């Protein structure tokens, strides 16, 4: 058995896919999740795929005493991957304090315990949202961080600053912040995937839910952007590729191969894809016509962004392997499989 890794938010979308990759590499995994945005069934999926069931503790990471007691009892943890956070941009505008509390208090509780119990290694879930609408594309890790356009985005900026400030003063002394672009898709087994509660904010779950008939039509937010087809452009990467990057980051920290105490990597494909291209991909892989209409731009949306992935490619030796169609296909297969088992949800 390899080292023991704490995965916060490990029942969630990206966390569950990462736990699969860790277990397949023989890491011992313990998850903390309060199931505020996930279901316990994701652990069944993880077990069905890997044959192993990760240890699981259900509690809120904002509870300082519980976090401390957990680290005290699990003194053999080598590294933490911190996924747990609230992530709905619109909700963060309406209820900013919920976001500042959940995302920042949980991080500070973890860092305090990592310091107290001498856990040196952290991988943090950051986001391309920290770049806002960059002036030049693609964005590198040195592209200036712009004032955040939402409280959610600000929690990611502030979290990175908290980690950077803490690292030099404590026994927690190595961190990698991974700035994800737009993760999509599901594990090819269709046993785990994205399960947004309620109406999806994100494009791909909305597309697949429209395809299966849960939503009547997709609204394309704007076709008057300064892009080749007028719709907005993002860098969509397969969640399994993204999950594998976490294993690479953990291995880098455990082997002491990091080149600085605090490192930042963009994780994307390096390709920009428009909303209309996403619809075409869905129609191709599903064989279905998607019902959609063009409406006004969504407030707060940026026009276009995609990643310069050279640093992750060169330093981590990581790159995405799935094409857009392959990733969209897994999202569609997951949607069909999940709805066939859970027609009421
Ligand atoms: P998710 O909501 O599926 O997973 C987050 C998990 O954390 C959930 O299972 C939730 O129950 C848990 N959680 C939240 N607050 C908690 C708390 N206080 N205590 C314990 N558990 C708590 O989200 P995801 O898409 O898997 O995102 C994971 C991380 O990646 C988040 O930090 C998110 O901000 C970041 N991220 C996501 C995206 C994306 O598009 N999905 C893009 C960039 C960054
Ligand atoms: C993608 C594109 C929409 C829904 C968000 C967060 C970001 C990061 C990733 C966490 C945009 C368009 C969408 C729909 C549409 N998350 N769209 N109709 O906005 O790039 O990023 O998730 O860190 O912080 O802001 O992703 O999937 O919501 O939208 O036309 O019903 O699809 O306008 O151009 P986004 P998204």
């Amino acid at each position: 058995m390899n080292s023991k890794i704490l995965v916060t938010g490990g029942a969630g979308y990206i966390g569950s896919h990462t736990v699969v990759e860790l277990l397949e590499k023989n890491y011992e995994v313990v998850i903390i999740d309060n199931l505020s945005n996930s279901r316990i069934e994701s652990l069944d999926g993880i077990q069905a795929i890997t044959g192993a069931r990760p240890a699981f503790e259900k509690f809120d990471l904002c509870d300082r005493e519980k976090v401390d007691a957990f680290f005290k009892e699990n003194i053999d943890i080598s590294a933490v991957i911190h996924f747990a956070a609230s992530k709905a941009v619109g909700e963060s505008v309406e209820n900013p304090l919920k976001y500042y509390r959940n995302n920042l208090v949980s991080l500070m509780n973890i860092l305090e315990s990592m310091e107290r119990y001498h856990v040196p290694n952290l991988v943090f879930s950051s986001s391309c949202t920290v770049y806002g609408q960059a002036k030049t594309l693609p964005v590198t890790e040195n592209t200036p961080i712009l004032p955040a356009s939402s409280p959610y985005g600000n929690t990611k900026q502030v979290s990175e600053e908290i980690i950077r400030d803490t690292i030099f003063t404590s026994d927690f002394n190595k961190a990698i912040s991974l700035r994800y672009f737009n993760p999509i898709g599901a594990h090819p087994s269709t046993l785990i995937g994205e399960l947004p509660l309620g109406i999806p904010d994100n494009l791909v779950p909305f597309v697949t839910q429209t395809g299966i008939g849960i939503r009547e039509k997709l609204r394309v937010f704007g076709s008057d952007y300064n892009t080749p087809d007028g719709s907005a452009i993002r860098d969509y990467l397969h969640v399994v590729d993204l999950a594998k990057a976490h294993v690479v980051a953990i291995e880098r920290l455990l082997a002491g191969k990091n080149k600085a105490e605090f490192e930042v990597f963009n994780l994307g494909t390096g390709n920009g894809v428009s909303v209309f291209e996403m619809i075409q991909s869905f129609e191709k892989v599903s064989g279905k016509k998607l019902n959609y209409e063009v409406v006004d731009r969504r407030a707060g949306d940026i026009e276009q962004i995609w990643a310069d992935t050279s640093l992750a490619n060169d330093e981590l030796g990581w790159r995405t392997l799935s094409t857009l169609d392959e990733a969209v296909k897994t999202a569609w297969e997951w949607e069909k499989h999940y709805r066939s088992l859970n027609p009421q949800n």
Side-chain angles (χ1 to χ4, degrees):
M1 186 69 82
N2 253 321
S3 309
K4 182 166 165 181
I5 314 293
L6 166 61
V7 181
T8 75
Y13 173 45
I14 308 169
S16 58
H17 288 81
T18 301
V19 169
V20 164
E21 298 303 320
L22 288 167
L23 291 172
E24 286 184 340
K25 289 265 179 161
N26 231 11
Y27 284 96
E28 187 182 349
V29 174
V30 52
I31 294 173
I32 299 174
D33 199 306
N34 64 356
L35 303 180
S36 57
N37 197 39
S38 53
R39 296 190 172 93
I40 192 69
E41 287 78 23
S42 62
L43 268 65
D44 300 335
I46 291 169
Q47 185 171 10
I49 295 167
T50 63
R53 195 170 183 90
F56 176 73
E57 302 236 5
K58 181 175 179 236
F59 65 86
D60 189 334
L61 290 156
C62 293
D63 186 329
R64 174 87 197 84
E65 284 172 15
K66 285 200 175 138
V67 173
D68 194 75
F70 172 86
F71 275 88
K72 196 173 182 182
E73 277 163 27
N74 291 270
I75 205 79
D76 52 342
I77 285 173
S78 304
V80 178
I81 309 181
H82 182 42
F83 290 106
S86 303
K87 64 163 183 177
V89 175
E91 187 192 31
S92 81
V93 175
E94 270 151 35
N95 195 352
L97 286 175
K98 171 180 170 184
Y99 276 67
Y100 286 115
R101 171 170 293 283
N102 198 45
N103 294 5
L104 300 182
V105 173
S106 59
L107 173 68
M108 290 188 290
N109 284 345
I110 289 164
L111 293 179
E112 280 177 357
S113 291
M114 288 177 72
E115 180 172 13
R116 182 166 307 153
Y117 298 102
H118 315 293
V119 179
N121 303 306
L122 175 73
V123 176
F124 176 70
S125 295
S126 189
S127 167
C128 68
T129 196
V130 302
Y131 298 115
Q133 181 56 71
K135 290 204 175 64
T136 52
L137 293 169
V139 292
T140 73
E141 290 76 0
N142 294 322
T143 295
I145 304 273
L146 297 178
S149 60
S150 71
Y152 165 74
N154 203 27
T155 69
K156 293 297 175 190
Q157 296 187 3
V158 174
S159 293
E160 287 196 359
E161 287 170 13
I162 290 173
I163 294 166
R164 191 182 282 115
D165 286 346
T166 312
I167 216 153
F168 294 107
T169 61
S170 81
D171 277 355
F172 143 66
N173 54 20
K174 284 181 279 170
I176 293 180
S177 183
L178 299 175
R179 292 180 181 159
Y180 317 152
F181 282 65
N182 291 54
I184 61 165
H187 194 270
S189 64
T190 70
L191 293 167
I192 52 171
E194 191 170 8
L195 269 183
L197 305 176
I199 301 171
D201 287 324
N202 294 115
L203 177 61
V204 170
F206 208 105
V207 165
T208 57
Q209 289 194 10
T210 306
I212 206 124
I214 298 173
R215 310 282 156 212
E216 192 205 337
K217 65 170 75 152
L218 171 75
R219 291 179 303 149
V220 174
F221 296 136
S223 63
D224 57 351
Y225 284 110
N226 185 23
T227 59
D229 67 18
S231 65
I233 290 177
R234 300 288 185 274
D235 185 337
Y236 299 94
L237 77 162
H238 194 309
V239 68
V240 173
D241 285 328
L242 177 60
K244 288 178 195 294
H246 292 77
V247 179
V248 174
I250 284 289
E251 283 168 352
R252 182 177 178 87
L253 291 174
L254 292 178
K257 291 196 173 143
N258 52 308
K259 297 215 171 126
E261 287 83 357
F262 184 60
E263 295 183 307
V264 175
F265 295 98
N266 286 342
L267 298 181
T269 64
N271 300 318
V273 169
S274 74
V275 177
F276 289 128
E277 286 170 333
M278 180 61 82
I279 293 171
Q280 281 162 15
S281 173
F282 173 77
E283 291 185 337
K284 187 169 145 197
V285 302
S286 68
K288 278 177 162 279
K289 276 297 278 172
L290 190 77
N291 193 17
Y292 71 88
E293 65 174 334
V294 174
V295 299
D296 286 347
R297 295 178 180 193
R298 184 170 66 177
D301 264 353
I302 60 165
E303 182 172 271
Q304 49 189 322
I305 189 165
W306 63 95
D308 182 325
T309 61
S310 330
L311 192 67
N313 300 161
D314 298 345
E315 270 299 321
L316 297 180
W318 171 90
R319 61 187 66 246
T320 55
L321 299 175
S322 294
T323 63
L324 178 70
D325 287 350
E326 286 165 353
V328 173
K329 174 106 177 133
T330 62
W332 177 233
E333 294 303 327
W334 158 251
E335 185 77 56
K336 287 191 294 183
H337 178 74
Y338 183 77
R339 299 300 161 192
S340 70
L341 296 177
N342 302 277
Q344 74 289 357
N345 283 343

